[in-house]
Amino acid sequence: MSAQKIVKTYGARWDIEVFFKATKSLLNLSKERQSRNYHVLICHTTIAFTRFILLSWQNRCDSDIRTFGGLFMELCDELQELD
């Protein structure tokens, strides 16, 4: 593998590790529900991951001054420059 591919793969792995650490420690993924039923575990994990996604989205809305419309217009401008 090239050095760039290794760095990209490790970066994705690091994001995943941070995601699981946050869901386990901040959203009580491992402590909130104790069950041996597979369906209960899947439901609980899905709910914890959904909470993480919603909290991340809310954080982005509160801290990032860019909007989706603004980003769309910037991309349109860049596309026109490429032509």
Side-chain angles (χ1 to χ4, degrees):
M1 291 175 71
S2 68
Q4 186 178 16
K5 178 76 172 167
I6 292 170
V7 170
K8 186 176 180 181
T9 303
Y10 186 75
R13 182 181 175 269
W14 182 254
D15 290 339
I16 293 168
E17 294 290 335
V18 170
F19 168 74
F20 277 107
K21 177 71 175 170
T23 54
K24 285 174 75 176
S25 62
L26 299 175
L27 300 176
N28 295 327
L29 176 62
S30 60
K31 299 175 187 169
E32 192 174 56
R33 174 68 54 192
Q34 297 293 325
S35 177
R36 295 184 186 267
N37 185 337
Y38 178 76
H39 297 294
V40 171
L41 293 173
I42 294 297
C43 291
H44 174 64
T45 304
T46 302
I47 291 169
F49 287 1
T50 303
R51 283 189 286 181
F52 182 86
I53 290 168
L54 291 172
L55 289 170
S56 296
W57 176 71
Q58 183 66 40
N59 184 37
R60 183 182 184 277
C61 288
D62 290 343
S63 63
D64 195 352
I65 59 171
R66 299 173 298 174
T67 62
F68 287 118
L71 290 173
F72 177 76
M73 295 307 288
E74 286 180 25
L75 288 175
C76 287
D77 292 341
E78 286 185 25
L79 283 174
Q80 289 176 356
E81 290 176 6
L82 291 175
D83 291 339

